[in-house]
Short mmCIF file of all heavy atoms in Angstrom, two decimals:
data_model
loop_
_atom_site.label_atom_id
_atom_site.label_comp_id
_atom_site.label_asym_id
_atom_site.label_seq_id
_atom_site.Cartn_x
_atom_site.Cartn_y
_atom_site.Cartn_z
N VAL A 1 4.10 25.19 -35.72
CA VAL A 1 4.48 24.09 -34.72
C VAL A 1 5.19 22.98 -35.46
O VAL A 1 4.99 22.79 -36.69
CB VAL A 1 3.14 23.54 -34.14
CG1 VAL A 1 2.33 24.59 -33.36
CG2 VAL A 1 2.22 22.95 -35.16
N PRO A 2 6.07 22.29 -34.84
CA PRO A 2 6.74 21.22 -35.44
C PRO A 2 5.78 20.07 -35.72
O PRO A 2 4.80 19.82 -35.05
CB PRO A 2 7.77 20.80 -34.39
CG PRO A 2 7.19 21.24 -33.06
CD PRO A 2 6.46 22.45 -33.35
N ARG A 3 6.07 19.37 -36.81
CA ARG A 3 5.22 18.23 -37.24
C ARG A 3 5.10 17.19 -36.13
O ARG A 3 4.15 16.53 -35.88
CB ARG A 3 5.79 17.56 -38.47
CG ARG A 3 5.01 16.42 -38.99
CD ARG A 3 5.59 15.83 -40.27
NE ARG A 3 5.54 16.81 -41.37
CZ ARG A 3 6.01 16.60 -42.55
NH1 ARG A 3 6.45 15.32 -42.90
NH2 ARG A 3 6.01 17.52 -43.53
N SER A 4 6.25 17.05 -35.39
CA SER A 4 6.20 16.05 -34.21
C SER A 4 5.17 16.35 -33.19
O SER A 4 4.83 15.42 -32.33
CB SER A 4 7.60 15.96 -33.65
OG SER A 4 8.03 17.30 -33.10
N ALA A 5 4.69 17.67 -33.08
CA ALA A 5 3.81 17.97 -32.05
C ALA A 5 2.33 17.53 -32.41
O ALA A 5 1.45 17.50 -31.53
CB ALA A 5 3.75 19.47 -31.83
N ALA A 6 2.17 17.23 -33.66
CA ALA A 6 0.82 16.88 -34.19
C ALA A 6 0.68 15.33 -34.48
O ALA A 6 1.66 14.72 -34.74
CB ALA A 6 0.47 17.70 -35.40
N SER A 7 -0.54 14.88 -34.26
CA SER A 7 -0.85 13.50 -34.60
C SER A 7 -2.01 13.45 -35.54
O SER A 7 -2.88 14.34 -35.52
CB SER A 7 -1.14 12.69 -33.41
OG SER A 7 -2.27 13.16 -32.76
N ILE A 8 -1.97 12.54 -36.52
CA ILE A 8 -3.07 12.43 -37.46
C ILE A 8 -3.98 11.27 -37.12
O ILE A 8 -3.47 10.16 -36.98
CB ILE A 8 -2.50 12.21 -38.97
CG1 ILE A 8 -1.65 13.43 -39.37
CG2 ILE A 8 -3.61 11.98 -39.95
CD1 ILE A 8 -0.99 13.32 -40.69
N GLU A 9 -5.21 11.52 -36.92
CA GLU A 9 -6.20 10.46 -36.60
C GLU A 9 -6.79 10.05 -37.92
O GLU A 9 -7.65 10.70 -38.46
CB GLU A 9 -7.25 11.06 -35.61
CG GLU A 9 -6.67 11.52 -34.32
CD GLU A 9 -7.65 12.17 -33.48
OE1 GLU A 9 -8.80 12.22 -33.81
OE2 GLU A 9 -7.26 12.63 -32.35
N ARG A 10 -6.41 8.92 -38.42
CA ARG A 10 -6.70 8.52 -39.79
C ARG A 10 -8.17 8.07 -39.88
O ARG A 10 -8.59 7.03 -39.43
CB ARG A 10 -5.79 7.37 -40.22
CG ARG A 10 -4.32 7.76 -40.26
CD ARG A 10 -3.44 6.75 -40.91
NE ARG A 10 -3.77 6.74 -42.38
CZ ARG A 10 -3.38 7.60 -43.26
NH1 ARG A 10 -2.56 8.52 -42.84
NH2 ARG A 10 -3.68 7.52 -44.54
N THR A 11 -8.96 8.99 -40.42
CA THR A 11 -10.41 8.76 -40.45
C THR A 11 -10.89 7.86 -41.62
O THR A 11 -11.86 7.10 -41.47
CB THR A 11 -11.08 10.22 -40.71
OG1 THR A 11 -10.52 11.08 -39.76
CG2 THR A 11 -12.58 10.06 -40.57
N TRP A 12 -10.12 7.85 -42.72
CA TRP A 12 -10.62 7.04 -43.87
C TRP A 12 -9.80 5.93 -44.28
O TRP A 12 -9.82 5.48 -45.45
CB TRP A 12 -10.56 8.14 -45.14
CG TRP A 12 -11.52 9.28 -44.86
CD1 TRP A 12 -11.25 10.64 -44.74
CD2 TRP A 12 -12.90 9.21 -44.79
NE1 TRP A 12 -12.27 11.40 -44.51
CE2 TRP A 12 -13.40 10.47 -44.64
CE3 TRP A 12 -13.82 8.26 -44.90
CZ2 TRP A 12 -14.78 10.89 -44.52
CZ3 TRP A 12 -15.21 8.54 -44.76
CH2 TRP A 12 -15.67 9.82 -44.60
N ASP A 13 -9.01 5.32 -43.40
CA ASP A 13 -8.38 4.03 -43.69
C ASP A 13 -9.39 2.96 -44.18
O ASP A 13 -10.39 2.77 -43.57
CB ASP A 13 -7.60 3.51 -42.53
CG ASP A 13 -6.27 4.19 -42.27
OD1 ASP A 13 -5.92 4.92 -43.21
OD2 ASP A 13 -5.61 3.99 -41.21
N GLY A 14 -9.03 2.30 -45.27
CA GLY A 14 -9.88 1.32 -45.78
C GLY A 14 -10.94 1.86 -46.74
O GLY A 14 -11.76 1.07 -47.24
N VAL A 15 -11.02 3.19 -46.94
CA VAL A 15 -11.93 3.69 -47.85
C VAL A 15 -11.28 4.43 -49.01
O VAL A 15 -10.96 5.62 -48.89
CB VAL A 15 -12.93 4.66 -47.14
CG1 VAL A 15 -14.05 5.15 -48.11
CG2 VAL A 15 -13.56 4.07 -45.90
N ASN A 16 -10.86 3.67 -50.01
CA ASN A 16 -9.91 4.20 -51.07
C ASN A 16 -10.38 5.53 -51.71
O ASN A 16 -9.62 6.41 -52.02
CB ASN A 16 -9.67 3.14 -52.14
CG ASN A 16 -8.79 2.04 -51.64
OD1 ASN A 16 -8.35 2.09 -50.43
ND2 ASN A 16 -8.55 1.12 -52.50
N ALA A 17 -11.71 5.61 -51.88
CA ALA A 17 -12.23 6.75 -52.66
C ALA A 17 -11.95 8.07 -51.99
O ALA A 17 -11.95 9.07 -52.69
CB ALA A 17 -13.79 6.57 -52.84
N VAL A 18 -11.74 8.15 -50.70
CA VAL A 18 -11.42 9.44 -50.05
C VAL A 18 -10.17 9.54 -49.41
O VAL A 18 -9.82 10.51 -48.67
CB VAL A 18 -12.64 9.80 -49.07
CG1 VAL A 18 -13.87 10.15 -49.73
CG2 VAL A 18 -12.78 8.63 -48.07
N TRP A 19 -9.23 8.56 -49.67
CA TRP A 19 -7.82 8.77 -49.10
C TRP A 19 -7.26 10.06 -49.50
O TRP A 19 -6.63 10.76 -48.73
CB TRP A 19 -6.97 7.67 -49.60
CG TRP A 19 -7.08 6.32 -48.79
CD1 TRP A 19 -7.86 6.10 -47.62
CD2 TRP A 19 -6.27 5.15 -49.06
NE1 TRP A 19 -7.61 4.88 -47.30
CE2 TRP A 19 -6.74 4.21 -48.05
CE3 TRP A 19 -5.38 4.74 -49.98
CZ2 TRP A 19 -6.15 3.01 -47.90
CZ3 TRP A 19 -4.86 3.58 -49.89
CH2 TRP A 19 -5.25 2.59 -48.90
N GLY A 20 -7.46 10.37 -50.80
CA GLY A 20 -6.85 11.62 -51.36
C GLY A 20 -7.44 12.90 -50.90
O GLY A 20 -6.88 14.00 -51.21
N SER A 21 -8.51 12.80 -50.18
CA SER A 21 -9.15 14.07 -49.69
C SER A 21 -8.27 14.74 -48.53
O SER A 21 -8.40 15.85 -48.27
CB SER A 21 -10.55 13.75 -49.17
OG SER A 21 -10.53 13.06 -47.94
N GLY A 22 -7.47 13.83 -48.00
CA GLY A 22 -6.69 14.37 -46.88
C GLY A 22 -7.48 14.92 -45.69
O GLY A 22 -7.00 15.78 -44.96
N SER A 23 -8.68 14.44 -45.52
CA SER A 23 -9.55 14.90 -44.47
C SER A 23 -9.43 14.18 -43.16
O SER A 23 -10.43 14.17 -42.47
CB SER A 23 -11.03 14.88 -45.03
OG SER A 23 -11.41 13.51 -45.37
N HIS A 24 -8.35 13.56 -42.92
CA HIS A 24 -8.08 12.98 -41.64
C HIS A 24 -7.98 14.09 -40.60
O HIS A 24 -7.63 15.25 -40.87
CB HIS A 24 -6.75 12.13 -41.59
CG HIS A 24 -6.72 11.10 -42.65
ND1 HIS A 24 -7.63 10.07 -42.71
CD2 HIS A 24 -5.85 10.86 -43.63
CE1 HIS A 24 -7.33 9.29 -43.79
NE2 HIS A 24 -6.23 9.76 -44.29
N ALA A 25 -8.36 13.80 -39.35
CA ALA A 25 -8.29 14.71 -38.25
C ALA A 25 -6.86 14.92 -37.75
O ALA A 25 -6.18 14.01 -37.68
CB ALA A 25 -9.16 14.29 -37.15
N VAL A 26 -6.49 16.17 -37.59
CA VAL A 26 -5.20 16.58 -37.02
C VAL A 26 -5.42 17.10 -35.62
O VAL A 26 -6.12 17.95 -35.43
CB VAL A 26 -4.46 17.55 -37.86
CG1 VAL A 26 -3.13 17.89 -37.27
CG2 VAL A 26 -4.26 17.06 -39.34
N ALA A 27 -4.62 16.45 -34.71
CA ALA A 27 -4.88 16.83 -33.31
C ALA A 27 -3.43 17.22 -32.66
O ALA A 27 -2.44 16.61 -32.97
CB ALA A 27 -5.38 15.65 -32.48
N ILE A 28 -3.45 18.25 -31.83
CA ILE A 28 -2.31 18.64 -31.04
C ILE A 28 -2.70 18.61 -29.59
O ILE A 28 -3.52 19.48 -29.20
CB ILE A 28 -1.83 20.06 -31.49
CG1 ILE A 28 -1.38 20.11 -32.96
CG2 ILE A 28 -0.61 20.50 -30.54
CD1 ILE A 28 -0.97 21.43 -33.44
N ALA A 29 -2.28 17.58 -28.86
CA ALA A 29 -2.74 17.46 -27.53
C ALA A 29 -2.19 18.56 -26.60
O ALA A 29 -2.91 19.16 -25.79
CB ALA A 29 -2.23 16.03 -27.02
N SER A 30 -0.94 18.91 -26.75
CA SER A 30 -0.33 19.93 -25.93
C SER A 30 1.00 20.33 -26.52
O SER A 30 1.88 19.53 -26.84
CB SER A 30 -0.10 19.42 -24.48
OG SER A 30 0.56 20.37 -23.64
N HIS A 31 1.14 21.68 -26.73
CA HIS A 31 2.39 22.17 -27.33
C HIS A 31 2.45 23.67 -26.97
O HIS A 31 1.55 24.48 -27.24
CB HIS A 31 2.45 22.01 -28.83
CG HIS A 31 3.72 22.55 -29.39
ND1 HIS A 31 4.96 21.84 -29.21
CD2 HIS A 31 4.03 23.56 -30.15
CE1 HIS A 31 5.89 22.52 -29.84
NE2 HIS A 31 5.32 23.54 -30.39
N THR A 32 3.57 24.13 -26.40
CA THR A 32 3.83 25.53 -26.14
C THR A 32 4.46 26.19 -27.31
O THR A 32 5.48 25.73 -27.80
CB THR A 32 4.68 25.71 -24.87
OG1 THR A 32 4.03 25.04 -23.71
CG2 THR A 32 4.91 27.15 -24.54
#
């Protein structure tokens, strides 16, 4: 899927210790 189809829900903003975990949620609302 193109990167433009996905959005990142930034879970760890403001928590420096886990920024690098990359564990933010990735959501695709609708894409064919």
